[in-house]
Amino acid sequence: MFVQHPIAVLDSGVGGLTVVKEVMRQLPREKIIYFGDTARTPYGPRTPQEVMGFTREIVSYLIQYQPKMIVIACNTATAVAMSDIRSSVDIPVVGVINPGARAAIGRTSTGCVGVIGTEGTIRSEAYEIALRELSPHVQVISQACPRFVPLVERGNFRSRETYDTVRDAIGHMKRYPIDCLILGCTHYPYLTDAISEVMGGEVALISSAEETAREVSAILQDKRELARSNQLPVHQFFCSGEPCMFRLIANQWLGEQIELTPVVWQVPTIG
Amino acid sequence: MFVQHPIAVLDSGVGGLTVVKEVMRQLPREKIIYFGDTARTPYGPRTPQEVMGFTREIVSYLIQYQPKMIVIACNTATAVAMSDIRSSVDIPVVGVINPGARAAIGRTSTGCVGVIGTEGTIRSEAYEIALRELSPHVQVISQACPRFVPLVERGNFRSRETYDTVRDAIGHMKRYPIDCLILGCTHYPYLTDAISEVMGGEVALISSAEETAREVSAILQDKRELARSNQLPVHQFFCSGEPCMFRLIANQWLGEQIELTPVVWQVPTIG
């Protein structure tokens, strides 16, 4: 396999751009292709069958670009489809759940880790399984927070309503000796201020983006597949929905003009 | 390969026990075999040929225990022998340099990273190469600190002499916009107080132990080779020199009684 092959990153929408930004920062030589399934976002409330079907479809689309790795930058898709995708392709597949779990195990002193995420992610118990696979005696306190994504999508990051919603949803977690809280949804880092105020400054908030990028770097280096070129790579972005908003958010978030291709699925599967 | 195979960790002496402790904490199911080459420590001032020979010899010794991974927990040995060992065995080999470099790239905002280590490590430019492999434009300021290991080995962690020695050695690095300093020798974390005072609290000190253990975890999980047993593993330790001091330090550092086997090389190669 040649090292100029890209890293493919997929997400239900724009949340996975946090992972892209970290990969760009930590591995500036690597070319990235990104697929945001904005026509069908959010995945959180969908059935596992739907999420599985959508994820497979996106992987089939991205695989034609011969990526050297697939990054599932969506917690819900990782929870539901990671092992299926892993066994269907012969390149490494990195999700956002194992890196987040590993970071929490590396950081906790109390051995009690909190996890918040969408209903799909929490229902799957994927974080619990990942945490216990690493460390059998870790205590895991999980909470689905279905009201957080709508708040973020309305840009409502620091209002009184946001603080009240966050307190209602996770205030009870303070009863446990949690010293690490995994933000198990790529939207949640926007609510860091409110979450931190509710949980207290001594609780470390773990966002998967940085950890996932570091794991991408470690695995590519272990496989000797890091890109070698000194030329700046040109990344490519695809989205299944309306492109203007995606372009706006991506340009703003990544600090550069992106090359975006809207994708129209041949067989419409929009639920 | 079966998952009950151990992780082999090797070091010139006791410094690599910091990596062992982190692997035990982050991956409590994993069995570890450790080799401390206490008869020939320290490796820092030795020639590359000597370090290469010693490392090969230890790997040949450990390989009879059928490890699933080799961790070179010594900066000097990693700098000199890592790629040679990698191409001589068919299991993953993890050194301490790539994880430390990756952590620095993940954390720096100024793009200027400091590295301190033994003469052997700094002379090899291994950190510089690893940092640039990840990120071509990072600025690297390196400094060999040959007087640090003797201070640590005398248990002289916080004396006036220690502060003066540290200031003499690395005070000049303050002239650069370094925001991460890699402690490129497993002895240096003992001098954290003095190093931090000289560099200033805003400079993050990066010790490889935690980062290396996290990388061991990521690579084993990616290869689906994490241990599954819920039984507490029994680790095994080997040292080439006088066993009493090794046992004392290891018991104290790891907080448990270790199982130690002194090893007498059949062909004496003590320099």
Side-chain angles (χ1 to χ4, degrees):
Chain A
M1 177 161 300
F2 305 116
V3 283
Q4 68 268 38
H5 291 242
I7 298 170
V9 182
L10 66 95
D11 181 44
S12 61
V14 294
L17 294 171
T18 55
V19 176
V20 170
K21 190 172 184 173
E22 272 299 321
V23 173
M24 285 167 63
R25 200 173 70 81
Q26 294 187 31
L27 294 171
R29 296 181 210 258
E30 298 296 336
K31 175 179 167 72
I32 296 165
I33 54 174
Y34 180 91
F35 195 106
D37 195 7
T38 47
R40 305 186 288 199
T41 196
Y43 284 2
R46 292 187 181 267
T47 66
Q49 291 71 28
E50 278 179 306
V51 174
M52 179 78 92
F54 297 168
T55 310
R56 280 185 187 151
E57 205 169 19
I58 298 169
V59 169
S60 311
Y61 185 86
L62 290 172
I63 215 82
Q64 66 184 315
Y65 293 89
Q66 297 182 275
K68 58 185 171 185
M69 172 181 268
I70 289 170
V71 181
I72 305 179
C74 167
N75 281 272
T76 311
T78 302
V80 169
M82 170 89 176
S83 66
D84 177 79
I85 300 299
R86 263 186 116 165
S87 55
S88 74
V89 297
D90 59 358
I91 51 177
V93 181
V94 173
V96 283
I97 290 181
N98 287 340
R102 197 174 340 276
I105 293 293
R107 213 169 300 172
T108 182
S109 304
T110 61
C112 183
V113 172
V115 181
I116 56 178
T118 66
E119 287 168 297
T121 302
I122 299 300
R123 202 186 319 116
S124 74
E125 298 187 348
Y127 272 104
E128 218 153 329
I129 293 165
L131 287 159
R132 293 252 162 74
E133 186 182 26
L134 297 170
S135 187
H137 300 301
V138 67
Q139 195 189 354
V140 186
I141 311 295
S142 301
Q143 179 61 54
C145 302
R147 293 175 63 200
F148 287 11
V149 168
L151 280 177
V152 173
E153 299 212 324
R154 291 205 306 276
N156 197 350
F157 304 153
R158 286 181 198 80
S159 73
R160 179 64 192 267
E161 184 201 352
T162 299
Y163 279 86
D164 290 346
T165 304
V166 171
R167 185 166 293 108
D168 283 356
I170 67 173
H172 69 98
M173 297 177 90
K174 285 294 293 171
R175 292 205 306 265
Y176 302 93
I178 292 169
D179 61 356
C180 287
L181 179 68
I182 297 175
L183 307 183
C185 170
T186 46
H187 280 71
Y188 294 179
Y190 292 99
L191 303 178
T192 291
D193 289 350
I195 294 169
S196 207
E197 180 165 300
V198 171
M199 293 304 290
E202 70 287 359
V203 174
L205 304 187
I206 293 177
S207 134
S208 314
E210 196 197 318
E211 313 296 343
T212 302
R214 208 193 287 184
E215 213 141 310
V216 166
S217 166
I219 291 171
L220 286 179
Q221 197 170 35
D222 178 61
K223 295 190 186 295
R224 306 185 198 202
E225 286 187 7
L226 286 173
R228 304 253 165 240
S229 166
N230 280 327
Q231 286 195 314
L232 269 188
V234 178
H235 310 301
Q236 269 180 287
F237 295 81
F238 305 93
C239 69
S240 57
E242 196 282 310
C244 293
M245 183 58 81
F246 184 94
R247 189 193 308 277
L248 189 76
I249 295 174
N251 286 347
Q252 209 168 30
W253 179 247
L254 302 175
E256 59 184 61
Q257 297 295 313
I258 65 159
E259 193 176 287
L260 177 64
T261 312
V263 175
V264 180
W265 294 115
Q266 289 187 298
V267 183
T269 49
I270 299 169
Chain B
M1 177 161 296
F2 304 117
V3 282
Q4 68 268 36
H5 292 241
I7 298 170
V9 182
L10 66 94
D11 181 45
S12 60
V14 294
L17 293 171
T18 54
V19 177
V20 170
K21 191 173 184 174
E22 271 300 320
V23 173
M24 285 166 63
R25 198 173 71 80
Q26 293 186 33
L27 294 171
R29 297 179 209 259
E30 299 295 335
K31 176 180 167 70
I32 296 164
I33 54 174
Y34 181 91
F35 195 107
D37 195 8
T38 48
R40 306 185 286 199
T41 197
Y43 284 2
R46 292 186 181 268
T47 67
Q49 291 70 27
E50 278 180 305
V51 173
M52 179 79 90
F54 296 169
T55 310
R56 281 186 186 152
E57 203 169 22
I58 298 170
V59 169
S60 309
Y61 184 86
L62 290 172
I63 215 83
Q64 66 184 316
Y65 293 90
Q66 297 183 275
K68 58 184 170 187
M69 172 181 267
I70 290 171
V71 181
I72 306 180
C74 168
N75 280 272
T76 312
T78 301
V80 169
M82 170 89 177
S83 67
D84 177 80
I85 300 299
R86 264 186 116 167
S87 56
S88 74
V89 297
D90 59 358
I91 51 176
V93 180
V94 173
V96 283
I97 290 180
N98 286 341
R102 198 176 337 278
I105 293 292
R107 213 167 302 173
T108 182
S109 304
T110 61
C112 182
V113 172
V115 181
I116 56 177
T118 66
E119 287 166 297
T121 301
I122 299 301
R123 202 188 318 114
S124 75
E125 298 187 350
Y127 273 104
E128 218 152 331
I129 294 165
L131 287 159
R132 293 254 162 73
E133 186 182 26
L134 297 171
S135 188
H137 302 300
V138 66
Q139 193 189 356
V140 187
I141 311 295
S142 301
Q143 179 61 54
C145 303
R147 293 176 62 201
F148 286 12
V149 168
L151 279 177
V152 172
E153 298 211 326
R154 292 205 308 275
N156 198 350
F157 304 152
R158 285 180 198 81
S159 73
R160 179 64 191 266
E161 183 200 354
T162 298
Y163 279 86
D164 289 346
T165 304
V166 170
R167 184 167 294 106
D168 283 356
I170 66 173
H172 70 98
M173 297 177 90
K174 284 294 293 171
R175 292 204 306 264
Y176 301 93
I178 292 170
D179 61 355
C180 287
L181 179 68
I182 298 175
L183 307 182
C185 170
T186 46
H187 281 70
Y188 294 179
Y190 292 100
L191 303 179
T192 291
D193 289 351
I195 294 170
S196 207
E197 181 164 301
V198 171
M199 294 303 291
E202 70 288 358
V203 174
L205 304 186
I206 293 178
S207 135
S208 313
E210 195 197 319
E211 311 297 341
T212 302
R214 208 192 288 183
E215 213 141 309
V216 166
S217 167
I219 291 170
L220 287 179
Q221 197 170 37
D222 178 60
K223 295 191 186 295
R224 305 185 200 202
E225 285 187 8
L226 285 173
R228 304 254 164 237
S229 166
N230 279 327
Q231 285 194 314
L232 269 189
V234 179
H235 309 301
Q236 269 180 289
F237 294 81
F238 305 93
C239 70
S240 57
E242 196 282 309
C244 293
M245 183 56 81
F246 184 94
R247 188 193 308 279
L248 189 75
I249 295 173
N251 286 346
Q252 209 169 28
W253 180 248
L254 302 175
E256 59 183 61
Q257 297 294 314
I258 65 157
E259 194 176 287
L260 177 65
T261 310
V263 174
V264 181
W265 295 115
Q266 288 187 300
V267 183
T269 49
I270 299 171

